[in-house]
Amino acid sequence: MGIRADRERRPAPRPACLRGRRDQHPGHDLATGTEDWTHARKTDAATRVQVTGAIIAGDTSRRMGVDKRGLLVEGIPLLRRVASALAAVSDELVVSCRRDSPPAPALWRPLGARLAFDRLAEAGPLAGVEAALAAAEGELVLVAACDMPWLVPEVLRLLLGEAHRHPEVDGVALRTGRRPE
């Protein structure tokens, strides 16, 4: 889901345009997570981040009974798969989680992500979305759950394109034949 950051409540200045940063993200070995993405991030204080990729990784996994963030799909942890898709189209990565249960650093630190802790205990995924929006520096925020192993950058680019074409709306979402996703 793409969400436009609330401009009235955030004091930081907003960039005037939306630009994809795919060309600034080098190839990354998903299996090892060894490459450091931080060099591709904007570091100049005068330059604002435009797109934030936010991963909701709260770790309740009640139905599964196990922390799914590190589960392997084709040899790659779920959290890293989602982070890599978001990194291809965003300028910064934020992993939203519960303070008492952060994901293992090996799952997010090699991708240059930072953590944002839920401010409301036991409030579920919406608490994660709220924490990610509060921590985001981008004007646009792409939100994805950590258990979406088949998320691809092309889908995220579609969401960004819709957000760019419709600046009057606060959010965009994909819709299947039945309902929004």
Side-chain angles (χ1 to χ4, degrees):
M1 174 185 346
I3 299 175
R4 189 170 306 282
D6 185 357
R7 294 177 187 158
E8 276 111 39
R9 286 188 265 170
R10 297 197 53 183
R14 293 285 173 249
C17 64
L18 168 70
R19 290 186 203 156
R21 303 290 295 182
R22 182 171 168 60
D23 61 314
Q24 298 221 352
H25 296 292
H28 180 71
D29 183 354
L30 288 174
T32 64
T34 55
E35 188 165 337
D36 182 6
W37 288 81
T38 55
H39 69 280
R41 304 283 180 240
K42 295 179 184 176
T43 56
D44 182 355
T47 305
R48 300 296 303 166
V49 173
Q50 296 175 348
V51 178
T52 297
I55 305 164
I56 307 305
D59 180 42
T60 54
S61 300
R62 289 183 183 117
R63 291 177 290 176
M64 291 186 78
V66 64
D67 183 356
K68 60 187 167 188
R69 301 174 295 193
L71 290 179
L72 300 179
V73 174
E74 296 180 353
I76 303 165
L78 282 173
L79 186 96
R80 191 171 300 146
R81 291 178 71 96
V82 173
S84 292
L86 285 166
V89 299
S90 60
D91 300 295
E92 75 165 340
L93 291 175
V94 173
V95 177
S96 177
C97 60
R98 294 182 354 206
R99 185 174 297 281
D100 64 341
S101 184
L107 295 176
W108 57 271
R109 195 171 281 154
L111 295 171
R114 60 189 171 88
L115 296 180
F117 296 108
D118 295 357
R119 297 188 292 185
L120 303 169
E122 303 300 322
L126 285 178
V129 172
E130 187 273 336
L133 289 173
E137 293 181 16
E139 174 161 345
L140 296 177
V141 181
L142 287 167
V143 179
C146 73
D147 59 356
M148 300 174 67
W150 311 119
L151 184 64
V152 293
E154 292 77 15
V155 170
L156 298 170
R157 283 189 197 95
L158 287 172
L159 288 169
L160 288 172
E162 287 301 307
H164 186 61
R165 279 188 286 286
H166 300 283
E168 73 281 3
V169 301
D170 291 328
V172 297
L174 294 175
R175 182 179 183 91
T176 63
R178 299 174 287 161
R179 64 182 190 273
E181 293 292 322

